Every structure is written in structure tokens, then in C-alpha cells.
Amino acid sequence: MAYVIGKNCSTCHYCFNTCPVKAIKFVGVEYAIDPDKCINCGQCAQVCPAGIIYNPDQQQPVPQAQPQTITADAVVLGAGGSGLVAAVRYRQLTGKKVVVLEKAKKPGGNTNLGHAFVVRYSKIHAAAGMPDLREQAVESIWSGSNGKDISKNLVRRAVYGLTDMFDWLCTFGGVEERFKLVDLREHPIPNGPFVFCPGFFDYPDRTLNVKSTDHSMGPGWMGTFVIDKMLEQCKALDIPVLTEHRATHLLVDEDGTFRAVEAQTPGGTVTVQAQCCLIASGGFARNEKLIRQLRPSFYEGMPVHSFTVASNTGDAIGMAEEIGAALDFEHVKIPLFGPVHHPFNYGVVSLVNSPRVAMVNLDGRRFANEGAPPEPGNPFSPLEDQPQKIAYAIFDSETVEQMGQELLERTSRDDSLHRCMLNWRGELEYECAELDIAAHKADTLEELAKKAGIDPVGLVDEVEKYNMFCAQGQDEDFDKPAPFLSPVTKGPFYAVLLMRFNEGAEGGLVNDDNLRLVKQDGTPFSGIYVAGDCCRGVLKKDDDGGKCSEMPWAMASGYLVGGEMADYTK
């Protein structure tokens, strides 16, 4: 039987780029394997970072074993970036035994998919003569929460802790060869994670998935570098990383002191007894029940596409609630970004980000200014109010050439990004010819509307009106800037799907400034810590990502909590 791709593919393109017979392509918005083309070579399963590709005929029943008990000083739940960093740091500081449990078949988690994380200051910044703006960054991040949503002390610990983590990472070698410091002093970026950042680290060349043209996600970028370095240290320091070990229950004394964790494996139950436990099990973007509760529109119309690993099902929330931990579903990040062409070919994704497109809904009507930037701080897409919550980028054969030329020009200063754009035309034609919903091409607008499922009368009327705006140089409906008004007149015509996406769902568990799990009465558990996407961390209320994104928080919190656990077990 042919290999199959399991549920909740993160669409990292690795299997697609590896298959020697081109048996893998998008079906809808996830990859699938054509059983008639598959030759059962298994290369796709080897490279899948989430370990969700398998051959059903090769699934052997696992003999059930007697319950096992492991004794350690510390146990870490989750072998993503925050968990592995914490485990290595703890082992270095104490020399004591730490065990890492990972529910997936492979370690790495979402960190393995991450491109880069922003370090505002480090020894490399200092050597380049760059100013230390971390305190200004702390003030900016904290004031952005109205000075009340998040702890200023924890923000400061995270900002400075990321510096310490990065300098520590440098001690393992390879950073200066792989990371490139980009000077922002002449052209500072005054928003997002780059605020008060005199220079950021670029990661110019992939180390894995090197055929991928998707510049936005790994594996193979900076996140993979961290995972690889931590796994090397786990091997060198004799830290067991036990995959297919899904934690199910936290065991505590009556006073809330941690004693053990129970885990389920394919062969039975394993109990790890330890002095302390770190919950670093990732977010809950794959927990449909909870997402429906917190973001009801997530699955309405075309469901939001989530760039997250299949194992991010929020198991920690149930385990923590079971022992009386406090939960917080206001300080969470579950953004519904868009309109964007993710998760398809990145050249086409970037191409249709052009303000020259006419963006229409399924009624064929424009609904927004295509030249306006996203609303700052808004985690919701304008697609929320459109039929089926999708749209199409419409353009003609003349405009697409102009868009392509502009795409190559604006990426020309970044070699690795520019390389991803070079085949934009081939990628667009492939999507139109080979994929079912990604893009469509037709000689007439009526035929294009039929292929895309757009109302043909609405589309023809809207394009006629839009072309009139282009001719007069004024958009009377949405005030789109005149330089971007490109008429849709010369076939063939194109319709490229635009949809919503997110990069995970973070939060849920409540932590204090020392990254301890907090009880419902507001006091911390003894010996239970949290880090990474599973906890509130420094998220603002209904956060959109803001100025402390996922991977910087994972790196900083993992490093900090390794020290906290070391102090606790001394």
C-alpha cells in the first residue's frame, strides 16, 4: 500500500520536494500522496519533521509491556525549542539527571518550522559597536499592553534572557558561520519584534529542505539550527529524549508539590518520578474543541490554515486543569491573518501580495483597499466578513508581468529570498494547471468566474467598474492609491485564492514571573514550571503576536526556566 500523510499536515513542502516520482501535491490546502504514483520508497516519511507520514501496511502492533518507572531529578514535557534548551541548560548547571518526553515520533516541534528569532543585543552586537537598546524595548513592549496586561519584570527577564540564551548558543559553535548580523541603525524598523533592535540576525542559507522555495518556514532555518545543537548536547550530556511518550497526568502531593508524571507510549504506561517538571508541550492550534470555543469562526467557511505541527493539541491544558491549575483564555494568541495565498507556492504568495491585484469575494465584489497595509494589532482578517471567508486576487496577463518584475526588483537585495521568487511564473502556471483550488486561468472573465466559483455577473460588473476607476485614476469605492490601479482588460485572466492563516495558538496556562505554574488560588505549584507556547508568558489580552513573538519567547523562557529548575533542585 502507498504511503499516506496523516491529519494536520503543516505544509512545510519537505515531502513534496523530496519525492522522486512527484507523487505528492496539494489536495485542497494540505499535501496528499497519489497512491497510483507512490513507489513506497519512504523518503517522504524520513524527512517529515512531524513524523506523520507512514505506510499502513508497515504499521506493526506494539507488544504491551508492564508499567515502567523512571527516576530522574527533572522531567521535561516536550522536545521543542523551549523544552530542549531548558533540559540542556539544567543538565549543564547541575549535572543531574533530566529526561525529556515527546509525544510525536520526532523531536523539534514548532521550533523546527521557525525561520528566525529576533535577538536585540548580544556579544556579536557589542563587538559591532551597536547600542544596547534592551531597556527601551522593555518599556515599549510593556507600555504596548497599557501597562497592566503583562508583568514588566517578566518582559525584562525575557528580553535580557534572550540575549543570554543566544550568547550561550554561540558556545556550541557554528553561529558565526550560519548567522549574519544585519545592521538596522541606518534604517530602523519601529514596530513588531524589531522595535529598538539595532541589528537582527539573518540566516541566509537553509540546512534542510534545501529545494524549498518557501522562505517563510522551515525546517532548515534558524529554528532547526537550535534543535540540532540541542540534540547534539543531549547526546553528549546523556539526556534521554523519549519520543512517542505522551504525558497524560501530573501527580502532585496535597500541597501541590510535584512528584511524578504519567505518560502513555505505544507499549504501555511510563511513570517518571522527579523533583521538578517543565511543561513545554507547545500550543493548542490542533485542539479543535478548544479553538471552536475561543475562536468560533476558525472553522467557518474555509477553515483557517495553521502552520503548526500536528502534535500541538494542548494536552497540557487538561493535565494542568486536573490538578487545579489556573487557566487564562483571555491572554492568548489565536490570530486569523489574511488575506494571503499561504500555504501554496511562495513565489505566488509573494506575487499576489502586490497592491496591483483586484481583490474580490465570491460575489465578485471588491471589499477593501488592496493597497492598504494590515491594521496594526488586529488579529482578525477582513475575510471574516466575506462569503466562505475567502477571496480571489484577480489580474490580467499584462499586470502579472508587471507584478513579477516588481517582485524580483524588491527582493533583489536578499539573495536567499530572491532565489525563491525567480520561478514565480512557473509556479503560477503549475497551480493553475495542476491544483484544484489554488489558482485558475481563463480566456474570459465569465470562464474564470466559473472555475473559481465566483458569481460571474458580479465579477464582470465589478471589473468593469474597477477598470473605469483605473482609467480615471481614482478609486471611488476604497480610495486605493492611483499608482496601484492596474486594469483587468487583457486575457488570459487569473484568479488566485486568498485565505486566512495562523502560526499557532499560544497560551492557556498561567505562570508567575519565575515561570512556575500557578494554582487557581494564585499561588505557585512547587516544582512545576512552564515555558514556550503552552503558557500565558508575556502575551497581551487577545494578542496578535506583538513585539515578543513565539520563537523568541520559546528560546528565552526555555533558557530562564532551566536556571529556575536548577535552583529548585539544589
Side-chain angles (χ1 to χ4, degrees):
M1 189 173 180
Y3 277 79
V4 297
I5 300 175
K7 186 179 178 182
N8 294 326
C9 165
S10 61
T11 60
C12 70
H13 315 294
Y14 207 169
C15 62
F16 170 78
N17 290 309
T18 300
C19 180
V21 294
K22 306 299 181 185
I24 301 174
K25 72 175 184 179
F26 274 105
V27 175
V29 296
E30 292 191 358
Y31 280 112
I33 299 174
D34 185 340
D36 294 329
K37 293 182 178 179
C38 178
I39 59 173
N40 292 306
C41 67
Q43 292 185 46
C44 54
Q46 294 173 21
V47 301
C48 176
I52 63 170
I53 302 180
Y54 61 97
N55 186 324
D57 286 346
Q58 296 176 5
Q59 299 292 102
Q60 299 294 329
V62 178
Q64 295 300 294
Q66 292 295 318
Q68 300 179 32
T69 299
I70 299 173
T71 301
D73 296 288
V75 58
V76 174
L77 312 184
S82 54
L84 291 176
V85 166
V88 172
R89 181 68 177 153
Y90 175 83
R91 176 72 164 167
Q92 281 188 332
L93 291 173
T94 66
K96 295 186 176 183
K97 182 177 180 181
V98 54
V99 175
V100 181
L101 307 183
E102 169 57 51
K103 68 181 286 188
K105 292 182 178 180
K106 297 181 180 180
N110 266 7
T111 300
N112 206 19
L113 300 179
H115 187 140
F117 55 93
V118 177
V119 181
R120 290 183 172 87
Y121 198 68
S122 69
K123 292 179 180 179
I124 297 177
H125 288 79
M130 293 184 178
D132 183 356
L133 304 178
R134 288 176 294 178
E135 199 57 37
Q136 293 94 318
V138 170
E139 291 291 339
S140 176
I141 295 171
W142 181 71
S143 62
S145 69
N146 299 317
K148 59 183 180 181
D149 269 355
I150 54 180
S151 163
K152 190 174 186 178
N153 179 53
L154 187 56
V155 170
R156 181 175 286 108
R157 292 196 71 198
V159 169
Y160 284 81
L162 186 56
T163 294
D164 294 338
M165 180 271 165
F166 185 80
D167 288 341
W168 173 74
L169 180 66
C170 290
T171 65
F172 301 126
V175 167
E176 294 187 5
E177 291 78 16
R178 288 287 179 183
F179 292 63
K180 176 185 177 183
L181 184 60
V182 178
D183 196 331
L184 294 180
R185 284 174 289 182
E186 292 292 328
H187 304 284
I189 303 175
N191 52 44
F194 295 97
V195 64
F196 293 110
C197 178
F200 76 94
F201 288 106
D202 189 18
Y203 197 86
D205 298 306
R206 283 182 182 269
T207 55
L208 293 175
N209 199 11
V210 294
K211 294 181 180 179
S212 176
T213 60
D214 191 337
H215 198 261
S216 65
M217 68 182 299
W221 295 116
M222 198 179 291
T224 298
F225 180 92
V226 173
I227 295 298
D228 288 347
K229 287 297 177 182
M230 294 303 103
L231 290 175
E232 288 175 6
Q233 291 303 308
C234 285
K235 184 176 181 179
L237 297 171
D238 196 23
I239 301 173
V241 179
L242 307 178
T243 56
E244 295 189 271
H245 279 62
R246 180 174 65 89
T248 54
H249 302 286
L250 299 167
L251 307 181
V252 297
D253 289 343
E254 291 184 1
D255 64 356
T257 299
F258 176 77
R259 286 293 173 253
V261 60
E262 288 184 0
Q264 193 66 37
T265 76
T269 302
V270 173
T271 300
V272 181
Q273 298 174 343
Q275 296 180 60
C276 65
C277 172
L278 168 61
I279 305 173
S281 52
F284 58 91
R286 301 303 189 182
N287 187 321
E288 183 173 340
K289 180 179 179 181
L290 185 56
I291 293 290
R292 285 187 181 276
Q293 174 188 333
L294 299 177
R295 286 284 188 273
S297 70
F298 194 98
Y299 291 97
E300 293 174 0
M302 179 173 284
V304 175
H305 183 77
S306 185
F307 290 98
T308 185
V309 291
S311 57
N312 274 5
T313 53
D315 295 1
I317 292 172
M319 289 190 293
E321 185 177 29
E322 188 177 63
I323 61 172
L327 301 180
D328 180 358
F329 294 122
E330 290 189 346
H331 294 75
V332 293
K333 177 188 174 187
I334 319 173
L336 313 184
F337 294 133
V340 74
H341 189 55
H342 277 313
F344 302 104
N345 289 291
Y346 197 60
V348 185
V349 172
S350 302
L351 181 76
V352 299
N353 279 341
S354 170
R356 295 190 180 280
V357 304
M359 188 165 59
V360 303
N361 60 23
L362 291 182
D363 295 330
R365 304 300 182 184
R366 292 174 67 218
F367 55 90
N369 178 348
E370 298 91 344
E375 182 182 342
N378 187 359
F380 296 98
S381 164
L383 291 175
E384 290 298 296
D385 299 323
Q386 306 309 314
Q388 295 301 308
K389 304 187 186 301
I390 62 173
Y392 282 91
I394 305 295
F395 46 93
D396 69 6
S397 58
E398 288 189 347
T399 298
V400 72
E401 294 301 326
Q402 186 174 9
M403 290 161 50
Q405 183 61 36
E406 291 170 346
L407 173 64
L408 296 179
E409 289 175 357
R410 71 173 181 261
T411 60
S412 60
R413 294 184 180 181
D414 185 330
D415 289 342
S416 63
L417 178 60
H418 187 69
R419 289 195 298 269
C420 295
M421 303 299 120
L422 292 176
N423 191 35
W424 67 264
R425 187 181 290 102
E427 291 180 352
L428 176 60
E429 296 300 331
Y430 167 80
E431 290 191 6
C432 291
E434 298 292 336
L435 302 187
D436 51 359
I437 67 171
H440 307 281
K441 179 181 179 181
D443 291 328
T444 67
L445 290 173
E446 291 85 354
E447 182 186 0
L448 187 71
K450 182 179 180 180
K451 286 184 174 182
I454 303 172
D455 177 67
V457 174
L459 179 62
V460 172
D461 288 349
E462 191 74 1
V463 168
E464 182 178 339
K465 181 172 64 169
Y466 178 71
N467 288 341
M468 181 186 68
F469 294 157
C470 294
Q472 68 188 26
Q474 182 179 358
D475 178 6
E476 297 178 8
D477 285 347
F478 298 102
D479 200 28
K480 181 176 178 176
F484 300 140
L485 290 171
S486 299
V488 184
T489 57
K490 186 175 181 180
F493 303 101
Y494 295 87
V496 175
L497 178 66
L498 303 174
M499 51 189 289
R500 302 170 297 164
F501 80 102
N502 88 348
E503 295 174 334
E506 291 84 47
L509 306 186
V510 179
N511 56 272
D512 66 6
D513 286 2
N514 297 102
L515 297 172
R516 295 174 294 188
L517 181 67
V518 172
K519 302 176 187 176
Q520 292 175 3
D521 65 7
T523 62
F525 286 89
S526 296
I528 305 181
Y529 298 86
V530 292
D533 289 351
C534 68
C535 64
R536 181 170 69 186
V538 292
L539 290 173
K540 297 177 289 185
K541 185 175 180 180
D542 197 21
D543 208 326
D544 68 326
K547 298 166 184 172
C548 191
S549 300
E550 298 96 327
M551 200 152 55
W553 169 248
M555 300 298 99
S557 61
Y559 182 85
L560 291 170
V561 83
E564 295 287 346
M565 294 193 301
D567 289 342
Y568 180 79
T569 59
K570 280 183 179 177

